[in-house]
Amino acid sequence: IEAAFPATAQSETTVRHVAHRDRIVITRESITPDTRSIRQRTLQSALDAASMFTDPRVSVESVDEAGIEIGYRIAFEKSMNAGVEGFQLKVEEALVSLAGPHESGRNWTTDWYPERGYLVMRLVTAMPSRVDHPLAVVDENLRHLPYATGAADRIMYWDVSTSSNKPHCLIVGPTGGGKTSVIRTLLTEAARRGVPFVGVDPKMIELDGLDGYPGCGAIVYDALRAAMFVRALHTEMMARNAYIHQMKIEGSQLPLMIAV
């Protein structure tokens, strides 16, 4: 059989024994070449092996001028999970890891259309390592304090208005992660908008140099004075609450102050 039907890359030979007819059937069929890229095959095989979607199908959504794939459409059976943000983030993280770094240096992102039963993986320009502080006031709402530039040049801001449901802000991260830069950006933006600030800095690092800055009420470094200062802030808060109830006014009518 091997001599009569030598194996080739374009065809596949199968041998079947038909016992009741005392016959051997030899069949040669052409192999349809798999023209999918390694990245597309990797995404498809990973989705087939996982249980995230039912009947996932990966197709090329778009290519660039050189014919390099820059977008994929992943179709799936509609489900409740597809509309959950936590599920979407988990899937996006896995897909980006499987797709790997792109030749162009751009980053993968995903657009979800759960009501239509598919998502699109596409490339976006890599985030710059540094963005200069804008000189102009970037938002007409003076209670929006910008602190970063996100994807697609979107300005991220902290809403300190009394109508906001996020009047408090917690900044966490490792050493060198940029916490001090975010704090200083928020405070200088607050000062530009006429919102005064006060601070407690026992490390004498984060708020160093802001004492005497326009809009800065005080920066306290000593531990004992810091405790007294926090107490004074609590007294101020209680006095404001009492004043609001007594005068029957809205909190937005009182001047803002940021404590760090």
Side-chain angles (χ1 to χ4, degrees):
I1 295 175
E2 287 293 335
F5 300 94
T8 66
Q10 291 78 28
S11 63
E12 181 180 25
T13 302
T14 59
V15 179
R16 183 167 54 92
H17 181 208
V18 185
H20 67 282
R21 293 190 177 182
D22 195 19
R23 180 183 300 173
I24 293 177
V25 178
I26 303 173
T27 306
R28 169 175 282 181
E29 295 180 349
S30 298
I31 299 176
T32 302
D34 190 347
T35 58
R36 298 177 301 172
S37 65
I38 295 177
R39 183 175 283 126
Q40 184 182 355
R41 292 200 303 267
T42 299
L43 292 172
Q44 185 66 66
S45 61
L47 288 169
D48 288 340
S51 58
M52 292 179 174
F53 298 116
T54 301
D55 189 24
R57 301 173 301 281
V58 181
S59 59
V60 177
E61 176 78 3
S62 56
V63 296
D64 62 11
E65 296 81 359
I68 298 176
E69 298 167 359
I70 58 174
Y72 300 96
R73 174 180 292 214
I74 300 176
F76 48 82
E77 294 294 331
K78 297 178 183 178
S79 66
M80 295 291 289
N81 284 338
V84 179
E85 182 179 1
F87 175 81
Q88 294 178 358
L89 292 174
K90 180 181 178 181
V91 172
E92 178 177 357
E93 182 180 3
L95 292 175
V96 168
S97 178
L98 289 167
H102 195 263
E103 303 86 317
S104 65
R106 291 182 289 173
N107 298 328
W108 294 105
T109 188
T110 57
D111 299 319
W112 285 78
Y113 305 93
E115 74 284 359
R116 303 177 188 174
Y118 70 89
L119 65 89
V120 174
M121 279 186 68
R122 59 184 177 85
L123 290 172
V124 293
T125 303
M127 290 288 291
S129 58
R130 176 182 176 85
V131 177
D132 290 334
H133 194 77
L135 297 179
V137 177
V138 295
D139 195 318
E140 61 183 12
N141 191 328
L142 297 183
R143 300 288 172 90
H144 290 174
L145 308 183
Y147 62 85
T149 302
D153 292 330
R154 179 186 175 195
I155 301 298
M156 315 300 293
Y157 62 83
W158 175 31
D159 185 359
V160 296
S161 65
T162 53
S163 61
S164 170
N165 63 348
K166 301 175 182 177
H168 309 292
C169 176
L170 175 65
I171 302 172
V172 296
T175 300
K179 300 185 297 297
T180 299
S181 295
V182 172
I183 292 173
R184 288 176 173 272
T185 298
L186 286 171
L187 294 183
T188 52
E189 286 288 355
R192 296 177 68 193
R193 290 160 171 73
V195 180
F197 63 89
V198 292
V200 175
D201 184 14
K203 289 176 63 179
M204 295 181 287
I205 295 177
E206 272 73 16
L207 305 180
D208 183 43
L210 289 178
D211 198 4
Y213 190 88
C216 177
I219 303 294
V220 180
Y221 302 102
D222 178 74
L224 180 58
R225 290 179 179 271
M228 297 170 61
F229 185 60
V230 171
R231 220 170 211 194
L233 287 174
H234 178 263
T235 302
E236 170 72 12
M237 180 183 70
M238 300 305 293
R240 287 187 175 211
N241 288 338
Y243 186 78
I244 289 173
H245 289 298
Q246 180 180 353
M247 303 301 295
K248 301 186 187 306
I249 62 174
E250 296 292 331
S252 58
Q253 296 178 247
L254 296 178
L256 291 178
M257 180 176 64
I258 296 177
V260 181

